Amino acid sequence: MDDLITFSIAVFTGFFAITNPISNMTVFLSLTQGADEKTKADINKRANIIAFIIVLVFVLLGKYIFELFNISIPAFKITGGILIFYIGFDMLQSKQSNVKNIKHVNIDENIAVSPLAIPILAGPGTIVTAMNFVSSAQPVHITIVIAIFAFMSLLTYFTFRLSNLIVRLVGYNVISVIGKIMGLIIAIIGTGMIIEGIKISFNLITK
């Protein structure tokens, strides 16, 4: 039971850091600026549902994806760790992807698919994080990962829904600080994946 609790906390921390609903809330506001409340609500709902489905597919089919492309778990962990570390490092440096720097967006509900669902909510970092947790996990662990990401999707949905109120109460400066803290956590998670991948490779070589 203790192991499952520890695993659940690790999964929640990883997903919360990489999806970062507080920071992504400002992206949602910029992308939907000028839209009416109904359109915002529809985009919000659609984006989170699509993001959940994308991650669910990779969680359930991750094992078969590894086999199809002959991907070893150590290689995946090391490469994924480097990718996640890079994302966290960029956040610490206050760098944002071109997607997050869009200044003029035509209000269209298709933005729920791209760029909101992909790559902001279910980007490479989120997918790698999810697949890392289930790469060698039991069915109970897979269930926990799915349940926690479903909770994260709900949390993101309500964060986006209350985004105007949250920004007024908290302010952009506090949100920026939270983003940097999340970036540090993401970088640490990435480093941990790299170390774990190296350890697995070393154990396979010494056997």
Side-chain angles (χ1 to χ4, degrees):
M1 179 61 74
D2 289 343
D3 288 342
L4 291 180
I5 293 174
T6 302
F7 178 77
S8 299
I9 293 172
V11 173
F12 176 80
T13 303
F15 276 143
F16 187 84
I18 201 73
T19 58
N20 199 356
I22 301 296
S23 179
N24 283 334
M25 174 185 65
T26 60
V27 180
F28 173 76
L29 285 174
S30 65
L31 290 174
T32 58
Q33 188 174 7
D36 58 73
E37 292 304 317
K38 182 181 183 304
T39 301
K40 284 185 178 181
D42 290 342
I43 291 172
N44 182 12
K45 180 179 179 180
R46 188 178 177 191
N48 280 285
I49 290 175
I50 292 172
F52 174 75
I53 292 173
I54 291 170
V55 173
L56 178 65
V57 168
F58 276 95
V59 166
L60 295 178
L61 301 181
K63 176 182 177 181
Y64 304 102
I65 293 172
F66 284 176
E67 292 176 355
L68 178 64
F69 294 101
N70 196 27
I71 300 172
S72 68
I73 290 177
F76 173 80
K77 286 184 178 292
I78 292 171
T79 305
I82 293 171
L83 173 63
I84 291 177
F85 177 86
Y86 179 77
I87 293 171
F89 183 77
D90 269 1
M91 291 174 66
L92 281 169
Q93 298 297 312
S94 298
K95 295 179 181 178
Q96 294 180 319
S97 67
N98 291 330
V99 169
K100 296 189 179 185
N101 283 326
I102 296 174
K103 293 182 179 179
H104 301 289
V105 178
N106 293 324
I107 300 302
D108 184 332
E109 290 191 21
N110 286 328
I111 66 174
V113 179
S114 178
L116 266 179
I118 312 168
I120 291 173
L121 297 181
T126 307
I127 293 170
V128 167
T129 300
M131 292 181 68
N132 173 61
F133 284 125
V134 300
S135 58
S136 57
Q138 300 298 319
V140 63
H141 297 97
I142 295 174
T143 302
I144 289 172
V145 170
I146 293 172
I148 290 178
F149 191 76
F151 174 74
M152 285 304 309
S153 296
L154 281 173
L155 182 61
T156 302
Y157 170 79
F158 284 111
T159 301
F160 285 2
R161 187 173 180 179
L162 300 172
S163 54
N164 287 315
L165 176 62
I166 293 172
V167 169
R168 284 199 301 268
L169 292 176
V170 176
Y172 280 100
N173 288 335
V174 174
I175 291 173
S176 176
V177 171
I178 293 173
K180 287 182 179 293
I181 294 173
M182 294 299 104
L184 176 61
I185 293 174
I186 291 170
I188 292 171
I189 290 172
T191 303
M193 286 177 62
I194 295 170
I195 293 172
E196 188 177 354
I198 293 172
K199 283 182 178 178
I200 295 174
S201 297
F202 183 77
N203 290 335
L204 290 175
I205 292 172
T206 54
K207 282 184 179 181

